[in-house]
């Protein structure tokens, strides 16, 4: 059987090219061996199900463990309507989930089914069943946040918590270890509750050990999947350079890592990969709709405050401190949208940043924010005969439309425009020019000039554009030096500046200085 890159469900070693995740499984197994209860809460398509499968395989090999793995996905909403339905069903799930080679133990669970009609009776039945099993029973429940009645599920967790505490005191028998997996952890489940339900929330999982294991793939781990691909196909590729390029775009988000590889092999039809193939795969991915992208958009549209925060992070020039106790920052992390860099909130990865920027820019245009500056922008007008981007021409056009649409006096009325709206307008303007061929990423720089650098990648060229406010000649000289350093870091020889000058006498001029093309507004 020919292997493939998998982006749905469980990854199976014999069927799929896989990242070696032994470095993640080992510390998880250590938690289980210590008898810990914990939850692996990570965003959608983050490798939770595959991780569960690997944990289950490790436990199956150990004679002193009995792993029971089940999922709340696809079991329907009916069982969550009433404890009288849920409790006996859950006991039945325990019996059904025991593997064939240990099937003889399933009857120990089923014989108590007729006695179960509440959480109290379920707890007693679990105690009696586990007394008869001379093994450490580990309960693994995937997709724990799929239940429609979250309060019933929280009550179920409360029952497990009580049994855990009594077991520690020697007053009960319960599961040796319980591992839950889902997008929401128990604390953030309350975000899904109604107002009345939220009032009932009482932290039923405060016994849980903290889960600190990084589930993203670092470049070395991505290399192991590329090596698997090389071994199976005899392909020629520089796995180190390509893994670093994949990480550059994905920040190790498991779905995105596998998706890019899948696009390169299947959509681009490549066997021997080049670094440019990763760039092309990113462009193709950004043009498509998939369940992962759909989920991200649905979530920011669902929570208006989250949408505003995403917009601020992507298009504003303000650095937002990463404070996980803030509800919308926490929610953004839970959903895989946010990450933190140097103590500030960032979009998790460059692919999400570009995709969300496109979505937000279209929303701004629909609301008429751009004052029509993006109308009649013909992208081909800014493409040179050799197919490369003529960024100087594009920036001069941007200067022209700002001059046409916004009177100089109007621009000077509002510091908010200088600090924020100019940057939004630039994104609205540049997107239709580079869309489909290139993409852009924002980098806010911490300085008194409140600079924002935009990195544009168009075909095989990279451009660095700095947007800033004029704050005097001395700061301007410092800014040139800082941009030069950034250009060197990004490996480009020419830089670009858009400078908003509050001086009423300043004209809409342009020119080149120290290898930097400057446009004044």
């Amino acid at each position: 059987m020919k292997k493939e890159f998998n982006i749905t469900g469980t990854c199976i070693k014999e069927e799929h090219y896989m990242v070696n995740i032994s470095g993640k499984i080992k510390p998880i197994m250590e938690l289980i061996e210590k008898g810990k209860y914990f939850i692996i809460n990570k965003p959608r398509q983050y490798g939770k199900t595959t991780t569960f499968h690997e944990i289950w395989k490790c436990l199956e090999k150990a004679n002193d463990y009995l792993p029971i793995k089940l999922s709340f996905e696809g079991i329907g909403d009916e069982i969550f309507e009433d404890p009288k339905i849920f409790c006996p069903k859950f006991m039945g799930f325990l019996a059904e989930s025991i593997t064939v080679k240990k099937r003889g133990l399933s009857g120990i669970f089923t014989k108590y089914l007729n006695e179960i009609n509440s959480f109290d009776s379920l707890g007693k039945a679990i105690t009696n069943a586990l007394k008869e099993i001379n093994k450490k029973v580990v309960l693994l429940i995937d997709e724990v946040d799929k239940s429609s009645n979250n309060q019933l599920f929280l009550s179920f967790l409360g029952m497990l918590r009580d049994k855990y505490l009594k077991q520690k005191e020697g007053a009960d028998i319960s599961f040796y270890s319980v591992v839950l997996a889902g997008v929401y952890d128990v604390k953030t489940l309350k975000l899904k509750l109604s107002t009345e339900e939220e009032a009932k929330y009482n932290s039923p999982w405060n016994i849980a050990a903290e889960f600190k294991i990084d589930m993203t793939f670092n470049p070395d781990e991505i290399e192991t999947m590329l090596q698997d691909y090389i071994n199976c196909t005899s392909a020629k590729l520089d796995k180190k350079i390509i893994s670093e390029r994949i990480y550059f775009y994905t920040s190790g988000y498991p779905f995105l890592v596998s998706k890019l590889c899948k696009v390169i092999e299947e959509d681009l039809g490549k066997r021997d990969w080049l670094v440019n193939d990763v760039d092309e795969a990113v462009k193709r991915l950004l043009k498509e709709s998939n369940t992962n992208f759909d989920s991200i958009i649905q979530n920011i549209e669902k929570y208006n405050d989250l949408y505003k925060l995403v917009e601020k992070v992507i298009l504003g020039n303000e650095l937002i401190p990463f404070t996980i106790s803030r509800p919308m920052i926490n929610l953004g992390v839970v959903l895989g949208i946010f990450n933190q860099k140097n103590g500030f909130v960032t979009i998790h990865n460059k692919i999400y940043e570009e995709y969300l920027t496109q979505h937000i820019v279209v929303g701004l245009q629909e609301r008429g924010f751009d004052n029509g500056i993006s109308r009649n922008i013909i992208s081909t007008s800014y493409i040179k005969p050799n197919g490369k981007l003529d960024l100087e021409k594009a920036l001069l056009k941007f200067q022209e439309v700002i001059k046409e649409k916004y009177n100089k006096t109007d621009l000077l009325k509002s510091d908010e425009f200088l600090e924020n709206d100019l940057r939004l307008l630039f994104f609205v303007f540049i997107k239709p020019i580079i869309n489909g061929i290139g993409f852009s990423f924002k980098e806010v720089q911490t300085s008194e000039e409140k600079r924002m650098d935009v990195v544009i990648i168009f075909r095989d060229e990279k451009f660095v554009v700095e947007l800033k406010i004029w704050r005097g000649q001395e700061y301007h000289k410092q800014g040139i030096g800082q941009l030069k350093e950034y250009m060197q870091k990004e490996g480009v020889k020419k830089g670009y500046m858009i400078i908003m000058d509050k001086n009423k006498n300043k004209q809409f001029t342009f020119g080149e200085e120290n290898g930097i093309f400057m446009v004044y507004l």
Side-chain angles (χ1 to χ4, degrees):
M1 177 186 294
K2 183 181 181 297
K3 284 188 178 184
E4 63 180 354
F5 291 101
N6 182 42
I7 56 171
T8 58
T10 306
C11 287
I12 307 298
K13 185 177 181 180
E14 293 73 26
E15 300 177 16
H16 307 123
Y17 304 116
M18 283 185 63
V19 169
N20 183 343
I21 60 172
S22 59
K24 305 182 190 303
I25 298 299
K26 182 179 178 181
I28 296 175
M29 287 298 298
E30 288 173 355
L31 288 174
I32 292 173
E33 288 163 3
K34 292 177 181 178
K36 300 294 185 180
Y37 285 30
F38 58 96
I39 182 167
I40 303 174
N41 68 288
K42 295 296 176 182
R44 293 186 74 246
Q45 297 176 298
Y46 221 81
K48 299 184 296 294
T49 301
T50 298
T51 300
F52 253 40
H53 181 67
E54 294 298 312
I55 294 169
W56 175 82
K57 285 198 306 182
C58 289
L59 293 170
E60 272 283 288
K61 295 175 183 177
N63 292 328
D64 54 339
Y65 283 98
L66 173 64
I68 299 179
K69 178 166 65 79
L70 51 94
S71 173
F72 281 170
E73 184 173 33
I75 63 175
D77 294 336
E78 181 184 347
I79 74 164
F80 295 103
E81 292 177 0
D82 192 313
K84 292 180 180 179
I85 301 173
F86 175 85
C87 292
K89 281 282 189 182
F90 179 78
M91 199 67 167
F93 290 150
L94 296 181
E96 293 171 7
S97 300
I98 295 177
T99 57
V100 173
K101 70 178 183 178
K102 298 179 181 178
R103 180 59 67 187
L105 298 174
S106 63
I108 295 175
F109 291 101
T110 56
K111 70 180 182 181
Y112 294 103
L113 285 178
N114 295 332
E115 303 173 10
I116 301 171
N117 57 18
S118 65
F119 284 117
D120 182 59
S121 57
L122 173 61
K124 290 177 181 177
I126 290 173
T127 296
N128 291 331
L130 296 181
K131 280 181 182 178
E132 299 184 46
I133 299 174
N134 189 28
K135 291 180 180 292
K136 298 174 182 177
V137 181
V138 178
L139 179 61
L140 308 164
I141 308 179
D142 199 4
E143 304 290 357
V144 294
D145 46 5
K146 290 293 185 179
S147 62
S148 60
N149 184 343
N150 295 293
Q151 186 55 51
L152 184 146
F153 179 66
L154 293 179
S155 297
F156 167 67
L157 293 184
M159 182 267 291
L160 291 180
R161 175 196 60 194
D162 291 343
K163 291 183 70 62
Y164 171 88
L165 293 173
K166 289 177 181 178
Q167 180 172 245
K168 290 294 183 182
E169 297 168 357
D172 200 354
I173 295 175
S174 190
F175 299 105
Y176 181 76
S177 174
V178 176
V179 188
L180 311 177
V183 172
Y184 293 86
D185 64 9
V186 176
K187 289 181 290 186
T188 48
L189 268 175
K190 65 180 180 180
L191 292 168
K192 300 176 69 180
L193 302 176
S194 68
T195 304
E196 291 182 2
E197 288 175 320
E198 190 172 348
K200 302 174 187 175
Y201 180 77
N202 63 351
S203 300
W205 209 235
N206 55 11
I207 57 170
E210 190 173 2
F211 186 81
K212 297 182 177 180
I213 299 159
D214 184 2
M215 299 287 284
T216 59
F217 299 149
N218 61 45
D220 290 340
E221 289 170 329
I222 296 171
E223 270 193 59
T224 64
M225 182 164 64
L226 297 182
Q227 186 61 57
D228 190 15
Y229 173 70
I230 292 169
N231 292 342
C232 293
T233 63
S234 299
K236 296 178 181 178
L237 55 92
D238 190 324
K239 62 183 181 181
K240 181 174 178 59
I241 292 177
I242 290 178
S243 66
E244 289 174 349
R245 193 64 171 170
I246 290 172
Y247 184 82
F248 169 79
Y249 286 117
T250 66
S251 295
Y253 196 115
F255 166 78
L256 296 175
V257 170
S258 295
K259 180 64 175 177
L260 287 185
C261 292
K262 192 175 185 69
V263 170
I264 294 171
E265 186 195 34
E266 298 181 12
D267 296 352
L268 300 183
K270 294 295 185 76
R271 192 187 75 158
D272 301 332
W273 300 3
L274 301 174
V275 174
N276 290 345
D277 294 328
V278 181
D279 298 341
E280 183 59 33
V282 171
K283 294 172 189 175
R284 293 208 181 194
L285 177 57
L286 288 169
K287 292 178 184 179
E288 74 171 45
S289 175
N290 57 60
T291 56
N292 187 274
F293 288 173
D294 292 345
S295 176
I296 292 292
I297 298 302
Q298 288 167 8
N299 281 316
I300 67 169
E301 293 289 350
K302 180 180 179 180
Y303 300 101
N304 186 53
D305 287 345
L306 180 60
Y307 187 104
K308 291 178 180 177
L309 185 56
V310 168
E311 183 176 271
K312 201 171 185 179
V313 172
I314 285 180
L315 300 179
N317 76 318
E318 178 185 354
L319 290 170
I320 301 171
F322 186 84
T323 309
I324 198 65
S325 61
R326 301 301 302 166
M328 287 303 106
I329 293 177
N330 186 37
L331 179 60
V333 172
V334 167
L335 297 174
I337 298 171
F338 292 148
N339 206 341
Q340 73 94 12
K341 180 180 180 182
N342 299 327
F344 297 100
V345 179
T346 61
I347 301 302
H348 184 281
N349 57 77
K350 287 179 167 53
I351 291 175
Y352 279 2
E353 182 181 340
E354 174 67 8
Y355 195 80
L356 287 167
T357 301
Q358 292 175 7
H359 180 77
I360 288 171
V361 164
V362 170
L364 291 169
Q365 291 171 322
E366 290 174 349
R367 299 198 301 269
F369 167 83
D370 67 339
N371 200 17
I373 71 168
S374 60
R375 291 177 194 157
N376 303 317
I377 294 294
I378 302 173
S379 61
T380 53
S381 301
Y382 307 97
I383 308 299
K384 298 176 182 178
N386 61 4
K388 295 184 180 296
L389 175 65
D390 191 339
L391 187 57
E392 287 188 15
K393 184 177 180 181
L395 294 183
L396 290 174
K397 180 63 177 180
F398 180 66
Q399 181 192 58
E400 178 185 321
V401 296
I402 291 294
K403 184 177 181 179
E404 175 188 338
K405 297 290 183 181
Y406 296 90
N407 181 279
K408 185 78 172 181
T409 304
D410 293 335
L411 296 181
L412 294 168
K413 286 179 182 178
S414 171
D415 281 348
E416 182 180 349
F417 180 90
L418 296 175
E419 301 289 351
N420 213 6
D421 291 357
L422 174 64
R423 292 160 170 86
L424 303 187
L425 289 171
F426 179 69
F427 272 100
V428 170
F429 172 83
I430 203 68
K431 281 299 173 185
I433 294 175
I434 65 174
N435 190 33
I437 302 176
F439 34 86
S440 59
F441 308 116
K442 183 202 73 172
E443 292 286 348
V444 175
Q445 307 297 332
T446 53
S447 73
E448 293 184 55
E449 286 196 308
K450 295 188 176 180
R451 302 162 46 220
M452 183 176 79
D453 292 331
V454 177
V455 178
I456 297 173
I457 297 175
F458 192 89
R459 300 196 192 279
D460 58 350
E461 278 192 298
K462 184 185 292 184
F463 304 86
V464 174
V465 183
E466 180 183 302
L467 292 87
K468 69 172 193 172
I469 310 302
W470 177 268
R471 299 186 187 280
Q473 188 64 40
E474 188 61 34
Y475 282 130
H476 180 61
K477 289 180 180 178
Q478 292 178 17
I480 290 176
Q482 291 167 343
L483 180 56
K484 285 281 192 179
E485 290 177 6
Y486 192 66
M487 288 164 54
Q488 185 175 10
K489 174 187 171 185
E490 292 294 327
V492 297
K493 295 181 179 179
K494 187 170 185 177
Y496 302 83
M497 271 191 185
I498 298 175
I499 305 168
M500 191 73 198
D501 192 346
K502 292 183 179 183
N503 188 339
K504 291 183 180 180
N505 299 320
K506 189 70 179 181
Q507 300 300 311
F508 288 83
T509 60
F510 65 91
E512 189 164 320
E513 184 179 344
N514 294 323
I516 299 171
F517 183 75
M518 300 184 183
V519 174
Y520 289 85
L521 306 178

